[in-house]
Amino acid sequence: MLAKAIMKAPQPPQAWVLVTGVAYYQPSLTAEYDEDSPGGDFDFFSNLVTKWETAARLPGESTRQVVVRSGVVLGRGGGAISHMLLPFRLGLGGPIGSGHQFFPWIHIGDLAGILTHALEANHVQGVLNGVAPASATNAEFAQALGTALGRPALIPLPSTVVQAVFGRERAIMLLEGQKVIPRRTLATGYQYAFPELGPALKEVVS
């Protein structure tokens, strides 16, 4: 609806920024993805992102278009971190499944910063990966969150439990991950406030 409204507008906006997700890229323990990597056609979520981005695409060049593919957003008062804090504070936290899967993350301040950068910088266009430059596995994330809270993070959450609680499709997002690099985001000149996981988590839980 927004894309159609922009196409019909007598004075269209200068920039059109869409936020989707890194679920576009196929989960892998070995592959590394940047903004030019293929994807978008292997499961429910990747197909959803592809259709989402296609529906928002504008013809012509009257409006500058940017797509931000976001990782897991870390921030206070909600989102992914809110579901993790209680078990970790009780000393019951740990890696999910094998823990070897990558966990593409970004601090909410940097996601907001990338969106502002995309709106204000006229040279920015196309796809930007909205993830932090320092990649981490799920086990490394669990360890960093435990450290930020001053708690151990040794109790793994079995994949069978994750599938039972979240369902098969949603469990894939937790049990399988992607190593996503913000190559183009960095090349546009965006400077991260929280490029490293440890300081980002300390700020979120402080």
Side-chain angles (χ1 to χ4, degrees):
M1 290 175 65
L2 286 169
K4 289 178 180 177
I6 290 172
M7 285 186 276
K8 294 178 181 178
Q11 292 183 314
Q14 294 181 0
W16 168 224
V17 182
L18 179 74
V19 181
T20 62
V22 295
Y24 176 85
Y25 307 109
Q26 187 167 7
S28 173
L29 295 176
T30 57
E32 182 175 290
Y33 301 107
D34 65 15
E35 290 87 348
D36 294 323
S37 299
D41 59 356
F42 56 87
D43 67 4
F44 171 80
F45 285 106
S46 66
N47 277 283
L48 175 62
V49 172
T50 297
K51 292 177 181 177
W52 192 352
E53 294 180 3
T54 300
R57 192 169 297 130
L58 304 175
E61 299 180 355
S62 58
T63 296
R64 183 170 52 83
Q65 301 175 63
V66 182
V67 174
V68 178
R69 292 180 182 148
S70 173
V72 177
V73 182
L74 306 180
R76 301 185 190 188
I81 204 77
S82 65
H83 300 292
M84 304 176 190
L85 285 180
L86 181 59
F88 272 86
R89 282 187 167 135
L90 294 174
L92 302 175
I96 296 174
S98 71
H100 298 309
Q101 69 274 28
F102 283 99
F103 188 83
W105 64 276
I106 187 169
H107 189 282
I108 191 169
D110 278 319
L111 182 58
I114 290 171
L115 297 179
T116 302
H117 178 63
L119 284 169
E120 296 179 347
N122 291 330
H123 68 283
V124 179
Q125 59 183 349
V127 176
L128 303 180
N129 283 332
V131 296
S135 58
T137 64
N138 186 272
E140 290 168 341
F141 176 84
Q143 186 62 49
L145 181 54
T147 299
L149 292 168
R151 297 289 189 274
L154 303 174
I155 303 175
L157 184 61
S159 58
T160 52
V161 175
V162 177
Q163 291 170 345
V165 172
F166 293 97
R168 191 179 69 85
E169 293 290 356
R170 290 183 67 195
I172 289 174
M173 299 179 69
L174 297 172
L175 296 170
E176 302 179 19
Q178 310 94 332
K179 185 177 183 180
V180 181
I181 305 300
R183 180 186 57 79
R184 188 177 294 153
T185 307
L186 290 166
T188 65
Y190 179 72
Q191 295 184 348
Y192 283 79
F194 295 95
E196 300 290 337
L197 181 58
L201 285 173
K202 287 180 181 179
E203 195 281 332
V204 168
V205 303
S206 62

